[in-house]
């Protein structure tokens, strides 16, 4: 059994490094060097070396996202946050992890590019368990097929609106893009969880019906859950959270969302996005209290979050100026965009429906349920195989 577990660890590590190298090529060497520093800091229990490693991981954001011409080091943000959480957790409570286990934790390929972000205490213990069973493989297979369908058929085909528009049409396009952005990221996260399950590793789900959120706080408990948890655990709570004065609590919220913004990219549009969400959270906590829970407020939350995703499409202030200029320019309403909005809303309703989630995420034992499930996934496979499009794994969130 020990040999089997050791083989599994080496298989995970070598497969992860090869997969990542095929995507980023020379960038793998930077991450390997940083990984060695993290491991050395852990093994020597040197606080100074741990702080230096964290500083290098943070400086990596500046280098890879601003200075370096190589802007395609996919997965660095996830790698950096994973490494920082490992060093902080080990400083607080020293656990004995082997060098091999630590490298597998840092590089495990399903989560490497865009998460979910996993803590070491939730990941490494799974490496010692022989969990690769037919049940997990089947669950993983379902998630992979479903994720590919959501990405390629719904996000890339059904909700594809690439033409530039103005006025009301640009507003509708922005709404469609916000839902498409969610489906694209949702599909990637499910794909990562599904592939990991096939190999016997359970990763956390990253979304929980975010567009049905009751409030902005509720939204951030449902959207990119592992990132929100990381920010709360390693930024917000250490700063004092809400157990302090009102002004200090507002500052803590501001700092947390600015860190989140800079994690995505070191650009002015991302800073604006972070400041906007910080402002909305503060207003909700201290001003919007009478409106929370009402359906109109839920609509306001939904539209605000979708609209703010547009800043992920901008690279600089010029892009922002052009967007708002086009937004104020008149253009005749296009029926095709109205139809696309209807498709987006229907898709969102179906994707978030409980009956579909039961079929995709749960293991059901009744004869009727099994027949429905097999038929459903056979239909998805048929559509994926015979749909006349060329598939490309251009997940939008990989850019961050």
């Amino acid at each position: 059994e020990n040999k089997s577990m050791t083989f599994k660890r080496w298989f995970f590590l070598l497969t992860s490094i090869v997969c990542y190298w095929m995507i980023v090529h020379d960038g793998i060497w930077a991450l390997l060097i940083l990984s060695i520093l993290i491991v050395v800091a852990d093994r020597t229990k040197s606080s100074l070396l741990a702080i230096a490693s964290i500083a290098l991981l943070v400086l990596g954001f500046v280098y890879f996202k601003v200075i370096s011409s190589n802007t395609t080091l996919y997965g660095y943000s996830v790698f950096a946050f994973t490494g920082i959480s490992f060093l902080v957790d080990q400083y607080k409570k020293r656990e004995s992890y082997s060098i091999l286990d630590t490298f597998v934790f840092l590089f495990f390929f399903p989560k490497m590019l865009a998460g979910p972000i996993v803590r070491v205490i939730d990941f490494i213990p799974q490496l010692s368990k022989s969990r690769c069973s037919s049940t997990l493989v089947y669950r993983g297979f379902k998630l992979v097929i479903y994720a590919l369908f959501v990405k390629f058929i719904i996000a890339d085909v059904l909700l594809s609106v690439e033409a530039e528009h103005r006025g009301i049409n640009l507003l509708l396009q922005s709404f469609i893009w916000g839902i498409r952005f969610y489906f694209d990221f949702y599909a990637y996260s499910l794909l990562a969880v599904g592939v990991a399950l096939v190999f016997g590793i359970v990763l956390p789900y990253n979304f929980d019906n975010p567009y049905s959120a009751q409030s902005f706080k509720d939204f951030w408990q449902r959207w990119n859950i592992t990132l929100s948890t990381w920010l709360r655990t390693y930024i917000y709570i250490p700063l004092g959270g809400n157990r302090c004065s009102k002004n200090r609590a507002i500052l803590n919220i501001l700092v947390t969302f600015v860190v989140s913004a800079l994690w995505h990219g070191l650009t002015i549009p991302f800073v604006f996005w972070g400041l906007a969400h910080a402002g909305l959270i503060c207003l909700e906590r201290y001003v919007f209290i009478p409106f929370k829970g009402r359906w109109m407020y839920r609509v306001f939350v939904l539209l605000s979050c979708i609209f703010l995703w547009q800043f992920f499409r901008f690279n600089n202030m010029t892009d922002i100026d052009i967007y708002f200029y086009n937004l104020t320019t008149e253009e005749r309403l296009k029926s095709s965009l109205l139809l696309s909005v209807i498709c987006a809303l229907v898709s969102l309703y179906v994707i978030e429906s409980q009956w579909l989630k039961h079929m995709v995420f749960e293991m059901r034992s009744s004869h009727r349920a099994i027949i429905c499930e097999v038929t459903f996934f056979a239909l998805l496979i048929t559509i994926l195989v015979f749909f006349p499009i060329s598939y490309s794994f251009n997940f939008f969130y990989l850019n961050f």
Side-chain angles (χ1 to χ4, degrees):
E1 182 180 355
N2 290 334
K3 290 183 178 180
S4 175
M5 294 297 101
T6 301
F7 173 80
K8 182 172 76 171
R9 289 169 168 82
W10 278 109
F11 173 78
F12 284 162
L13 179 59
L14 295 178
T15 303
S16 299
I17 290 177
V18 169
C19 288
Y20 194 67
W21 175 81
M22 292 174 64
I23 296 173
V24 302
H25 303 300
D26 293 341
I28 188 67
W29 297 109
L31 300 195
L32 285 172
I33 292 172
L34 287 170
S35 299
I36 292 172
L37 290 175
I38 292 171
V39 169
V40 172
D42 176 47
R43 304 297 289 185
T44 60
K45 298 178 174 56
S46 169
S47 300
L48 184 61
L49 190 55
I51 293 172
S53 300
I54 292 175
L56 285 175
L57 289 169
V58 173
L59 288 174
F61 283 102
V62 179
Y63 179 77
F64 291 119
K65 292 180 178 290
V66 178
I67 299 176
S68 176
S69 59
N70 176 22
T71 58
T72 57
L73 188 58
Y74 299 119
Y76 180 78
S77 297
V78 173
F79 174 86
F81 272 27
T82 300
I84 292 171
S85 71
F86 175 80
L87 290 170
V88 172
D89 289 350
Q90 285 295 82
Y91 176 79
K92 291 180 178 179
K93 184 180 180 181
R94 289 290 177 184
E95 298 287 347
S96 179
Y97 300 125
S98 70
I99 295 175
L100 181 56
D101 282 351
T102 304
F103 270 95
V104 174
F105 166 68
L106 293 171
F107 281 97
F108 187 57
F109 68 95
K111 69 173 181 63
M112 186 64 182
L113 295 178
I117 302 171
V118 187
R119 294 181 66 176
V120 63
I121 194 172
D122 298 320
F123 182 86
I124 288 184
Q126 297 189 63
L127 299 178
S128 301
K129 300 176 182 178
S130 180
R131 302 189 59 174
C132 192
S133 63
S134 58
T135 300
L136 286 181
V137 170
Y138 178 65
R139 284 178 56 197
F141 175 77
K142 289 201 302 180
L143 289 180
V144 168
I145 297 301
Y146 181 64
L148 294 177
F149 180 83
V150 171
K151 164 61 178 173
F152 295 132
I153 305 302
I154 298 181
D156 287 358
V157 175
L158 192 61
L159 302 183
S160 178
V161 184
E162 301 299 339
E164 293 298 324
H165 296 285
R166 299 172 183 270
I168 185 65
N169 293 319
L170 177 58
L171 199 61
L172 294 177
Q173 184 187 37
S174 299
F175 181 80
I176 297 166
W177 190 89
I179 296 179
R180 181 187 178 188
F181 175 67
Y182 164 48
F183 286 155
D184 192 278
F185 191 16
Y186 179 56
Y188 178 88
S189 296
L190 286 184
L191 188 63
V193 174
V195 173
L197 280 175
V198 171
F199 290 99
I201 300 295
V202 178
L203 298 180
Y205 292 113
N206 230 3
F207 294 93
D208 181 19
N209 294 25
Y211 286 157
S212 65
Q214 303 279 337
S215 63
F216 289 103
K217 178 182 178 181
D218 187 32
F219 176 81
W220 285 109
Q221 292 174 338
R222 295 168 176 266
W223 177 281
N224 202 352
I225 298 170
T226 57
L227 174 60
S228 298
T229 302
W230 193 99
L231 291 168
R232 183 171 62 253
T233 304
Y234 299 102
I235 303 294
Y236 183 66
I237 293 177
L239 288 174
N242 58 0
R243 297 182 178 181
C244 48
S245 66
K246 178 180 177 180
N247 290 338
R248 179 60 185 273
I250 291 175
L251 179 62
N252 294 342
I253 293 171
L254 181 66
V255 171
T256 302
F257 273 98
V258 168
V259 171
S260 176
L262 297 179
W263 181 82
H264 290 93
L266 302 179
T267 66
I268 293 178
F270 281 121
V271 174
F272 280 171
W273 171 83
L275 292 175
H277 268 289
L280 289 168
I281 288 286
C282 292
L283 287 171
E284 178 176 273
R285 175 173 292 182
Y286 301 110
V287 179
F288 294 159
I289 297 175
F291 305 102
K292 291 171 65 175
R294 299 182 180 182
W295 72 267
M296 291 186 65
Y297 187 71
R298 292 178 60 184
V299 172
F300 171 67
V301 170
L302 170 63
L303 295 180
S304 298
C305 292
I306 287 180
F307 177 76
L308 287 173
W309 288 136
Q310 309 310 309
F311 284 84
F312 277 50
R313 306 168 69 180
F314 307 143
N315 297 313
N316 47 50
M317 286 296 298
T318 302
D319 291 342
I320 297 176
D321 291 339
I322 293 174
Y323 177 81
F324 281 100
Y325 173 79
N326 290 337
L327 202 60
T328 57
T329 305
E330 291 186 7
E331 186 178 79
R332 190 172 182 178
L333 179 63
K334 295 186 177 181
S335 57
S336 59
L337 280 174
L338 280 177
L339 180 61
S340 295
V341 168
I342 294 173
C343 289
L345 290 172
V346 171
S347 299
L348 184 62
Y349 175 80
V350 173
I351 291 296
E352 303 293 13
S353 62
Q354 288 301 313
W355 67 267
L356 184 58
K357 288 183 178 295
H358 288 320
M359 186 176 298
V360 174
F361 296 101
E362 295 182 1
M363 293 293 293
R364 303 182 298 173
S365 57
S366 70
H367 184 69
R368 181 179 179 182
I370 293 174
I371 292 177
C372 291
E373 192 172 286
V374 171
T375 303
F376 174 75
F377 282 98
L379 178 62
L380 296 190
I381 294 172
T382 302
I383 294 173
L384 286 168
V385 171
F386 293 103
F387 203 86
I389 60 172
S390 57
Y391 298 117
S392 175
F393 283 81
N394 57 336
F395 289 96
F396 188 79
Y397 209 78
L398 295 183
N399 297 317
F400 315 119

